[in-house]
Amino acid sequence: MKQHVVVLTGAGISAESGLKTFRDSDGLWEGYDVYEVATPEAWQRNPNLVQEFYNMRRKAVLEAQPNAAHYALAKLESKFDVTIVTQNVDNLHERAGSSAVLHLHGVITKSQSSKDPSLTYDIEGWELKMGEQCELGSQLRPHVVWFGEPVPMIEKAAQICSTADIFLLVGTSLNVYPAAGLKDFVPNNARKIVVDPQASSLSVRDMRIISEKAGVAVPAIVEELLTS
Ligand code: OAD
């Protein structure tokens, strides 16, 4: 039976594709107030601003390309069962060829009904406009989880983590819960590796720490796993 590799990724894996992280010094939350653009209250108060924020981010995602780290993780599937659990709303893992990707915080290339979150639709191009409606006649919003909203995929993600033989943690500051708690579901005897230039400041235990950028370190680890 193939070993199960579970990879929990965050914004850092897409940094070398040109997409901003959230909490680095030039990160997105330096330029925007989270509560103005990424909460249900913001949507109530100023939906135009929220749409504009996500339209700009969607444009950046569509213009970005997967990097060496995304491609290396797709290559791992030649020897392992691989599940990617990502906090990212970009689709770079899928575009690099990964076949099992669980998006904890949604996907920016989709819209969702503001009445029924289970109704989601593909967005053509980069722009979601005010006036565009779901089949129930309510305004479409970005298919992303905002602060203060439940994370519907968390239980499935925890179950996936609990079956890991090898666990890779790549490019996340582990600041946002419940995602940050997923590492605690990984079995004690799993092999655990963390890749992040700031890895030494993360609160992780029993992990091999690689303080390097994902584009360099992830292909090296993948090579190591494929040849061992
Ligand atoms: P953060 O911005 O909090 O953390 C990014 C992490 O990536 C940091 O630990 C950086 O050191 C690391 N990093 C930067 N460049 C890197 C590179 N080239 N290679 C590897 N690592 C690198 O982003 P997340 O942890 O993903 O939620 O943030 C979690 C959530 O907070 C996001 O999903 C988003 C945000 O608010 C929602 O939008 C709901």
Side-chain angles (χ1 to χ4, degrees), residues 86-161:
T86 188
Q87 296 167 83
N88 298 343
V89 297
D90 68 54
N91 57 3
L92 298 181
H93 284 300
E94 289 92 336
R95 282 162 56 196
S98 283
S99 56
V101 184
L102 183 150
H103 282 274
L104 274 177
H105 294 158
V107 196
I108 199 168
T109 51
K110 291 189 175 205
S111 63
Q112 88 184 35
S113 161
S114 47
K115 211 175 250 166
D116 176 355
S118 71
L119 293 176
T120 63
Y121 308 87
D122 288 331
I123 298 173
E124 294 286 327
W126 62 272
E127 200 176 11
L128 180 61
K129 296 194 184 98
M130 294 310 289
E132 289 186 60
Q133 296 183 340
C134 75
E135 64 213 60
L136 303 175
S138 73
Q139 174 64 43
L140 287 172
R141 54 165 270 187
H143 177 47
V144 295
V145 173
W146 287 326
F147 285 90
E149 291 190 315
V151 179
M153 300 307 273
I154 196 69
E155 279 180 24
K156 186 160 183 215
Q159 193 273 328
I160 288 167
C161 288

Side-chain angles (χ1 to χ4, degrees), residues 19-31:
L19 300 178
K20 282 187 178 212
T21 62
F22 296 93
R23 295 175 186 79
D24 285 302
S25 55
D26 63 341
L28 271 171
W29 296 152
E30 286 265 294

Side-chain angles (χ1 to χ4, degrees), residues 9-13 15-16 21-24 29 54 57 87-89 105 145-147 170-176 195-198 202 212-215:
T9 65
I13 197 166
E16 288 156 86
T21 62
F22 296 93
R23 295 175 186 79
D24 285 302
W29 296 152
Y54 286 101
R57 293 192 56 210
Q87 296 167 83
N88 298 343
V89 297
H105 294 158
V145 173
W146 287 326
F147 285 90
V170 184
T172 172
S173 64
L174 295 175
N175 262 294
V176 172
V195 173
D196 193 305
Q198 307 294 326
L202 297 176
E212 258 191 84
K213 289 185 173 183

Side-chain angles (χ1 to χ4, degrees), residues 158-173:
Q159 193 273 328
I160 288 167
C161 288
S162 74
T163 65
D165 298 299
I166 301 169
F167 180 68
L168 308 180
L169 188 64
V170 184
T172 172
S173 64

Side-chain angles (χ1 to χ4, degrees), residues 23-61:
R23 295 175 186 79
D24 285 302
S25 55
D26 63 341
L28 271 171
W29 296 152
E30 286 265 294
Y32 289 89
D33 180 345
V34 175
Y35 298 98
E36 296 293 329
V37 293
T39 59
E41 293 74 25
W43 176 247
Q44 291 302 324
R45 215 168 32 235
N46 195 347
N48 284 303
L49 179 70
V50 175
Q51 293 283 35
E52 196 182 309
F53 173 71
Y54 286 101
N55 281 342
M56 287 303 113
R57 293 192 56 210
R58 190 174 304 109
K59 199 161 194 265
V61 165

